[in-house]
Amino acid sequence: THNIWIGTDGGGLWQWIKGSASLRLHQEEHGLPTNEIRVIYEDSQRNLWIGTARGLCRYKDNQFTNYPGNSEAESIHTILEDSENNLLIGTNSGVFQLKNKEWIPINIMDESRVSRIRRIFQDQDENIWIATDGSGLIRYRQGKFSSLTQIDGLLNDNVRTIFEDREGNLWVGTVLGLNRLKDEKFTVITKNEGLPDDLVWSVFHDSNGYLWFGTNKGLVRCKHENKKCINTYTGRGRKTK
């Protein structure tokens, strides 16, 4: 059965079964730790993991199971199952691995600098990228951590998202615009290139070769070849250019 899951900020978790005309609502009374949903992720075993503002839970066989961590691991922003089937959890206080219901902290470089984790992503070369609030991008490659920050050409050290397109370009959304990382060099896309706003929350590459950027002031479609943003869609669905 194919489901579409919709997380809300305070309204719980909506489930739409493909082919059905109705939506099913899951809330605290059904087993969620809170109705504030931060992230939804399906692993290789088809377990559905839900990260919330008050912890992690798993949905399987129509039942929620909570995985309480310590207070530092309560607010969860991102989940990744890596190529070795490790479940990595990004929280307000760093990265944890969930193993046999135990929360294992991952020591990332200078731990005192790394706080809120916005996104964990694994690229096609199996490098793991970590988007942070304030510490830029952190890369885990061949057993070692390294960082990329404004000093290296990143627009801003407050990173919101990471995405890799089919050509191997890494797209990095920050609070001050979008970077493309290719061959260890950053290029820039901001409002000057057509973004409706410089705060970029999400990036997606569709089957027609277009890149889509979700910003604080609407959705924009961009042609990959020239990096020019050609259509902007507002919250009311109007195409503005």
Side-chain angles (χ1 to χ4, degrees):
T1 302
H2 297 283
N3 297 309
I4 292 177
W5 295 88
I6 305 164
T8 73
D9 188 13
L13 181 68
W14 289 93
Q15 177 188 8
W16 177 56
I17 301 173
K18 190 175 181 180
S20 170
S22 61
L23 290 168
R24 181 182 179 188
L25 178 61
H26 303 273
Q27 294 187 312
E28 287 183 56
E29 61 194 78
H30 306 112
L32 283 172
T34 178
N35 292 328
E36 297 175 62
I37 309 300
R38 296 286 184 263
V39 62
I40 305 167
Y41 184 86
E42 186 178 50
D43 67 20
S44 59
Q45 303 300 311
R46 303 198 68 180
N47 296 298
L48 193 74
W49 296 92
I50 301 104
T52 78
R54 294 182 185 172
L56 179 73
C57 68
R58 184 187 67 175
Y59 184 76
K60 187 175 182 179
D61 300 327
N62 297 315
Q63 186 173 3
F64 288 103
T65 302
N66 289 319
Y67 290 77
N70 55 35
S71 59
E72 294 180 344
E74 274 195 348
S75 190
I76 294 165
H77 298 275
T78 181
I79 303 169
L80 171 73
E81 182 185 25
D82 67 16
S83 57
E84 298 178 354
N85 301 116
N86 298 307
L87 196 67
L88 304 176
I89 315 293
T91 77
N92 268 4
S93 302
V95 180
F96 293 79
Q97 179 185 349
L98 184 66
K99 190 173 184 179
N100 299 324
K101 296 188 177 182
E102 181 182 358
W103 292 75
I104 303 170
I106 306 296
N107 296 318
I108 303 173
M109 301 174 60
D110 182 359
E111 196 69 30
S112 63
R113 293 191 306 114
V114 180
S115 56
R116 180 179 296 174
I117 306 299
R118 288 290 188 172
R119 183 91 160 90
I120 307 174
F121 180 84
Q122 187 165 37
D123 66 24
Q124 58 193 5
D125 295 323
E126 298 191 355
N127 301 306
I128 292 178
W129 297 87
I130 302 168
T132 74
D133 255 351
S135 299
L137 268 181
I138 295 173
R139 175 170 55 191
Y140 182 74
R141 180 168 63 181
Q142 297 176 348
K144 295 182 179 179
F145 287 103
S146 60
S147 65
L148 294 169
T149 65
Q150 288 179 256
I151 297 173
D152 305 294
L154 190 66
L155 275 167
N156 188 269
D157 289 342
N158 293 294
V159 181
R160 291 294 179 263
T161 191
I162 314 165
F163 180 81
E164 184 181 33
D165 65 27
R166 295 177 183 86
E167 285 75 38
N169 298 292
L170 198 73
W171 297 88
V172 184
T174 79
V175 299
L176 289 182
L178 186 71
N179 281 115
R180 183 183 68 169
L181 180 62
K182 181 71 173 178
D183 299 324
E184 300 295 316
K185 293 181 180 179
F186 284 112
T187 54
V188 170
I189 297 178
T190 64
K191 288 192 287 187
N192 293 331
E193 286 73 38
L195 288 180
D197 189 71
D198 284 335
L199 176 49
V200 179
W201 289 100
S202 60
V203 182
F204 181 73
H205 196 178
D206 71 20
S207 58
N208 295 316
Y210 291 104
L211 286 160
W212 294 82
F213 306 130
T215 78
N216 225 35
K217 293 183 179 178
L219 181 68
V220 64
R221 186 176 68 167
C222 180
K223 197 65 177 172
H224 186 279
E225 289 80 5
N226 56 19
K227 299 187 300 175
K228 288 294 182 181
C229 301
I230 57 175
N231 295 118
T232 301
Y233 300 85
T234 68
R236 295 184 178 180
R238 290 191 298 115
K239 187 164 65 175
T240 58
K241 68 177 186 176

